[in-house]
Amino acid sequence: MQRGVLIKYKHSVMFGAWLPVESGLFGVPELSSPEGFQEAQEKALQETEQLVQKACITPPGPQTVMIFDQLSDALCRVADLADFVKIAHPDFAFREAAEEACRNIGTVVEKLNTNIELCQSLKQLLANKEVMDSLDPETRQVAELFMFDFEISGIHLDEEKRKRAVDLNVKILDLCNQFLIGAHLPNKIDKHILPEHIRYNFSVEGNYIQITGLHADCSDDLVREAAYKIFLYPNAEQLRCLEELLTSRNHLAQLVGYNTFAHRALQGTMARTPGKVHGEILFYRTLKDFEIMKGMKMKLNPQNSIINLNKHFDSFVYFLRYNIEPSLYCPFFSLGACMEGLNFLFNQLLGISLYAEQTEKGELWCEDVRKLAVVHENEGLLGYIYCDFFQRADKPHQDCHFTIRGGRLREDGEYQLPVVVLMLSLPHSTRSSPTLLTPGMMENLFHEMGHAMHSMLGRTRYQHVTGTRCPTDFAEVPSILMEYFASDYRVVNQFARHYQTGQSLPKSMVSRLCESKKICAAADMQLQVFYAVLDQLYHGEHPLKRSTTDILKETQEKFYGLPYVPNTAWQLRFSHLVGYGAKYYSYLMSRAIASMVWKQCFVQNPFDRAMGERYRKEMLAHGGGKEPMLMVQGMLQKSPSVEDFVDALVSDLDQDFETFFMDSE
C-alpha cells in the first residue's frame, strides 16, 4: 500500500489522494454492505466450531493456549469491529446489522464460557505441573486468564444454573446496549422556552431545540445552566433500564458465587476486592487532604438556593479553569498542529512516526475519517489508527478508543497487526480556519492517543492480552500519563502555533493554563471520587435501599460537597457504568500510577529516549500478559506502597508543586 507523509499546510494535516480500490469496512471484504455482517459472523462461527473440536482433542501443552487464543481471535475479529460500528456508523442499516452480530457473538462467547468439555481441556493443562513449568510466563498467564473466564461465568454450576447464567449474560448485554444508546440520546425542548439570545448554541429542529451535551466549555452561564437541567432531566425508560441492569448484574454475581457484582468484577484487578477500593488509598485518606477544595468551598455563600449555589460554583470553577478564556487558546491548537506535536513526541520518546495511509473504497464509514500508519524507525509498520475525529449526526458525543483487531503472533510466524479507532467529537474546519481545539479537547486527544500507543506497542504473542486488554485499573495509565505531557510547556511549545501568524503560544499563557488546572485539580479529584463511590454503591449490596437518584443525591452531597440539582438524573448519562461497571475507581488508581511515572521518569526531560524505551519495555509491551504491579515495579524500579499511591494523588493537588518550564530567556 502507498503511504504518504503528514504534510503541514496552515497547521492542518493534509493527505495525498489515491485512486480508490473496492473493499469493505476496515478492509474486510464481506463488510461492503450491512448484509456482510451475517457472512462474517457465519465464517467466525464455523471457525469457532472447528477450533473447539481441536482444543478438546489436543494433548496438554502450549498448543492448547494457542488454540484458545485463535478461538478468541476468531470471535473478537467480528465482535470488536461490530461493537464500534453499532454506535458510530452513520448508516442505520449498518448499525442494526452490527448490533445483531454483537448479540449473536456475545451469546456464543457466554455459551463457550460454560462449555464443560472445553474447560476440561484447559484444566488438564493447568493440572500438569511439568508442562506448566515448561511454559513461558506470558503463556502461563494467558492460560490462567482463560480459566478465570470460565470460573466467573459459572463453569462450576449444574447444567440448569449454567444455562441461567448464559441467559443472564445475554440479557445484560442487551441492557448495556440499550443503556448506552439512551445515555447519548439528546433531549428536546420547545425552543420558545429558552431565551432567544442563547438558542444559537444548540441544534434547532423546527420548533424544538436538541440538547446533546452539557456545553461545559461555553463561557455563557445561562447556556451551561440550561444544558445541565435539560440534558440531565430524568427519562423513565432509561431509569428502568439502569435499575434492571444493576439488578441483573447482581443476580448473575450471586448465581456464580459472589456476594455482589463488585466482588465479581474486581477479580483479577490490582484492587482485587471492593474493600480495598473503598479503603484509604482511593477515598477517605485522599479526601482528608483536599484542603484546596475546602478553601474553594469557603468562597461559596451557603445561603444561596440549591440552583444558585451550583450556578455560583459552576461560574467560579469556570473562571478558575478558564480565566484563560478557551477561545484565546484555540487558534494555537489547530488539529494539524496537535497531530504534529504528537508525532514529534512519539518520535522522540519511542522512535515512532505517524503517516497518512491510503484507503480503499468502502474501507471508511465516513469521508472525513483518516487512517494513520504507525511506523517504528527500525521495526517498520506496527499497526493502524483510524481517526474518527469529527462531529456528525447520530454520533455519540464521547471520546474513546476502540480495538478493532488485536495483535498476535499468527500460526505462519507473521504478526497480526493491531487496528484501532480513536473517536472524538471535534468541530469541522470552516472556510476561514482549520479545526481548532480547546485546551480540554487537546488534552483529550493526547489521552486517547495514549490508549492507541498502548495498543500499537503491546506486542504480545496472544491477542487475548493485546494492548489495552489488561486489568481496567492499569489500562488507563498510558492515557492519563499523556495528559501530563499535554500540560508540560516544553511539549506544548513544540507544536502550539497560531494557525494564521505562526506565533508560538506565549509561555505566560501556558503557565496560566497549567496553573488553572492545578487550581481545579482538587475539585476534579473530588468529582472522580464521587463517581467511583457511586459506581461501587450501585454494584454493591442489593436490593438497593433507595432509588438510584436518591443514592446519587446522598453520595454527591457526602463526597462532592455540592448540592444535587432537583429534577436531574446524571446517572442516566453515566455511560461508564457499562464498560467500567464497579471499576470506575480505575481512573484514580491509574492516575496515581501515571503521576508517579511522570514525576520519577519524565518530569526532568519529557523527551528522554532512554525513559521512553524503558516505558515501552516495562509497561506498554506486555498488554495484559503480565501482572500489572510487576509492570509498575519495573518502571519505577521499586514496589510502591499504599502511602505512595495516596501521596501521588495528593501531590497533584499541591499548589506548590511546580510544573517544569523551560527557561524564559
Side-chain angles (χ1 to χ4, degrees):
M1 271 194 163
Q2 185 176 354
R3 188 169 296 127
V5 297
L6 290 176
I7 303 171
K8 287 188 285 187
Y9 178 73
K10 288 191 176 180
H11 297 273
S12 295
V13 180
M14 303 297 292
F15 297 86
W18 298 273
L19 293 175
V21 180
E22 195 70 39
S23 182
L25 288 175
F26 297 102
V28 179
E30 295 88 351
L31 299 184
S32 58
S33 69
E35 294 73 25
F37 270 106
Q38 181 65 32
E39 185 180 350
Q41 175 185 306
E42 289 174 356
K43 284 186 176 181
L45 295 181
Q46 288 174 6
E47 185 178 354
T48 296
E49 187 176 339
Q50 294 169 1
L51 288 168
V52 169
Q53 294 174 359
K54 187 176 180 181
C56 292
I57 62 173
T58 299
Q63 186 66 13
T64 304
V65 182
M66 184 69 73
I67 294 170
F68 267 77
D69 193 63
Q70 292 171 21
L71 180 59
S72 174
D73 183 60
L75 294 168
C76 287
R77 282 202 311 270
V78 178
D80 288 342
L81 190 156
D83 200 41
F84 168 73
V85 173
K86 74 179 183 182
I87 70 165
H89 201 289
D91 186 331
F92 176 76
F94 265 104
R95 295 201 302 271
E96 191 174 44
E99 184 178 332
E100 180 66 17
C102 278
R103 191 178 193 281
N104 292 339
I105 295 291
T107 301
V108 171
V109 169
E110 297 308 332
K111 288 180 177 179
L112 290 176
N113 283 340
T114 55
N115 183 312
I116 296 292
E117 189 178 3
L118 186 63
C119 179
Q120 193 61 38
S121 69
L122 188 62
K123 276 186 175 180
Q124 290 173 2
L125 169 64
L126 293 170
N128 191 321
K129 186 177 185 303
E130 182 180 351
V131 175
M132 286 296 291
D133 288 345
S134 70
L135 301 179
D136 62 87
E138 184 182 1
T139 301
R140 286 198 301 271
Q141 170 85 348
V142 172
E144 290 166 357
L145 287 173
F146 277 122
M147 180 54 68
F148 172 71
D149 289 339
F150 281 117
E151 291 169 349
I152 66 170
S153 297
I155 193 69
H156 54 285
L157 303 175
D158 61 42
E159 185 176 356
E160 181 184 347
K161 289 182 178 178
R162 288 201 308 274
K163 183 179 184 306
R164 199 187 317 165
V166 170
D167 292 342
L168 270 172
N169 268 309
V170 173
K171 180 181 180 181
I172 289 169
L173 286 173
D174 289 341
L175 288 168
C176 284
N177 187 55
Q178 183 181 338
F179 184 80
L180 273 180
I181 292 172
H184 298 295
L185 283 178
N187 273 345
K188 288 185 179 181
I189 188 172
D190 189 311
K191 70 178 182 182
H192 298 99
I193 294 177
L194 293 184
E196 188 174 354
H197 72 278
I198 70 168
R199 294 176 194 167
Y200 74 93
N201 291 279
F202 308 106
S203 299
V204 179
E205 290 188 359
N207 288 324
Y208 291 92
I209 283 178
Q210 282 200 343
I211 311 294
T212 58
L214 295 176
H215 290 255
D217 285 345
C218 182
S219 60
D220 190 319
D221 294 358
L222 190 57
V223 171
R224 296 197 306 277
E225 182 178 3
Y228 188 93
K229 292 178 180 176
I230 298 169
F231 188 64
L232 298 183
Y233 191 80
N235 177 288
E237 182 61 25
Q238 182 77 341
L239 186 60
R240 181 206 61 76
C241 178
L242 174 59
E243 290 171 348
E244 193 172 355
L245 172 60
L246 297 178
T247 299
S248 298
R249 282 176 166 174
N250 184 69
H251 286 163
L252 174 64
Q254 293 189 334
L255 177 63
V256 299
Y258 295 93
N259 292 336
T260 68
F261 182 78
H263 284 87
R264 178 179 183 268
L266 294 176
Q267 293 295 303
T269 64
M270 286 192 286
R272 299 194 183 280
T273 67
K276 288 188 177 179
V277 173
H278 276 292
E280 295 178 336
I281 179 173
L282 295 178
F283 300 136
Y284 303 116
R285 286 184 61 182
T286 302
L287 283 172
K288 292 177 184 177
D289 290 284
F290 278 177
E291 298 300 329
I292 302 172
M293 188 62 202
K294 293 176 184 176
M296 289 172 66
K297 283 193 274 187
M298 290 294 290
K299 298 179 183 291
L300 302 179
N301 181 356
Q303 301 303 315
N304 286 341
S305 68
I306 288 177
I307 292 177
N308 285 337
L309 179 59
N310 277 271
K311 183 179 177 183
H312 185 176
F313 179 78
D314 169 64
S315 301
F316 177 62
V317 170
Y318 184 89
F319 171 75
L320 289 173
R321 182 171 290 153
Y322 299 127
N323 54 13
I324 49 153
E325 183 53 45
S327 62
L328 298 178
Y329 284 75
C330 291
F332 295 89
F333 293 143
S334 68
L335 176 58
C338 293
M339 292 300 294
E340 293 292 348
L342 284 164
N343 192 51
F344 178 82
L345 178 63
F346 294 148
N347 190 266
Q348 294 294 303
L349 282 179
L350 302 163
I352 284 173
S353 297
L354 306 176
Y355 293 92
E357 185 78 3
Q358 175 189 7
T359 58
E360 300 174 347
K361 184 179 180 181
E363 183 178 350
L364 306 179
W365 51 100
C366 188
E367 62 182 9
D368 58 19
V369 174
R370 296 292 181 265
K371 181 182 180 181
L372 298 180
V374 180
V375 181
H376 188 270
E377 59 191 14
N378 297 321
E379 300 166 33
L381 182 62
L382 299 179
Y384 297 105
I385 303 171
Y386 287 84
C387 301
D388 188 354
F389 283 171
F390 301 104
Q391 300 169 353
R392 63 174 174 270
D394 297 326
K395 179 183 176 182
H397 284 258
Q398 71 181 106
D399 299 340
C400 46
H401 161 278
F402 292 86
T403 297
I404 302 300
R405 184 179 70 194
R408 72 181 182 102
L409 187 63
R410 295 197 315 232
E411 302 71 59
D412 60 6
E414 294 294 316
Y415 197 80
Q416 176 174 290
L417 297 178
V419 177
V420 304
V421 172
L422 294 190
M423 188 171 79
L424 306 177
S425 295
L426 303 180
H428 287 274
S429 59
T430 66
R431 289 183 178 181
S432 59
S433 69
T435 293
L436 302 177
L437 281 62
T438 65
M441 291 174 182
M442 182 271 285
E443 185 176 278
N444 287 349
L445 172 62
F446 272 63
H447 178 104
E448 299 303 335
M449 270 293 181
H451 284 310
M453 284 301 112
H454 197 183
S455 291
M456 295 297 109
L457 294 172
R459 309 298 276 185
T460 55
R461 183 181 307 175
Y462 305 101
Q463 74 84 37
H464 193 65
V465 291
T466 184
T468 57
R469 287 179 180 157
C470 58
T472 309
D473 47 11
F474 182 80
E476 292 296 331
V477 173
S479 54
I480 292 175
L481 180 60
M482 285 296 293
E483 296 177 18
Y484 288 89
F485 285 97
S487 297
D488 188 276
Y489 176 76
R490 295 160 297 179
V491 176
V492 175
N493 187 55
Q494 292 295 326
F495 68 88
R497 300 283 187 278
H498 196 287
Y499 76 96
Q500 290 176 316
T501 66
Q503 174 195 356
S504 297
L505 182 64
K507 181 179 175 181
S508 61
M509 290 181 67
V510 180
S511 177
R512 206 177 314 137
L513 174 63
C514 295
E515 290 305 310
S516 70
K517 289 182 180 180
K518 288 200 293 183
I519 290 172
C520 288
D524 289 341
M525 188 77 75
Q526 198 176 47
L527 186 63
Q528 292 299 309
V529 170
F530 158 48
Y531 292 165
V533 174
L534 183 68
D535 175 43
Q536 289 294 305
L537 291 174
Y538 282 168
H539 292 100
E541 291 185 5
H542 274 246
L544 298 176
K545 296 177 181 178
R546 293 170 299 285
S547 71
T548 57
T549 302
D550 287 341
I551 293 172
L552 167 75
K553 177 181 177 182
E554 181 180 305
T555 308
Q556 179 173 338
E557 293 181 353
K558 181 177 180 181
F559 288 93
Y560 192 37
L562 292 168
Y564 158 81
V565 177
N567 296 316
T568 62
W570 174 84
Q571 77 276 19
L572 303 183
R573 301 291 186 176
F574 194 11
S575 59
H576 280 80
L577 288 174
V578 171
Y580 284 67
K583 298 179 184 178
Y584 192 86
Y585 76 91
S586 298
Y587 284 99
L588 286 169
M589 180 170 277
S590 292
R591 181 165 294 281
I593 296 171
S595 176
M596 286 186 277
V597 171
W598 170 255
K599 290 165 189 171
Q600 182 173 320
C601 304
F602 293 110
V603 75
Q604 294 295 334
N605 178 8
F607 307 113
D608 189 327
R609 181 64 178 268
M611 283 298 175
E613 293 296 340
R614 186 207 290 183
Y615 176 50
R616 177 183 180 181
K617 176 185 176 183
E618 298 292 347
M619 297 189 79
L620 297 179
H622 305 287
K626 188 175 181 180
E627 284 289 336
M629 198 52 70
L630 294 178
M631 292 189 271
V632 174
Q633 291 171 10
M635 187 66 198
L636 299 177
Q637 298 187 339
K638 70 171 186 177
S639 179
S641 65
V642 170
E643 288 73 20
D644 289 331
F645 275 81
V646 176
D647 290 344
L649 289 175
V650 174
S651 68
D652 280 353
L653 312 180
D654 187 356
Q655 297 281 312
D656 297 325
F657 179 78
E658 292 297 328
T659 301
F660 277 64
F661 296 116
M662 292 179 66
D663 292 335
S664 57
E665 61 270 18

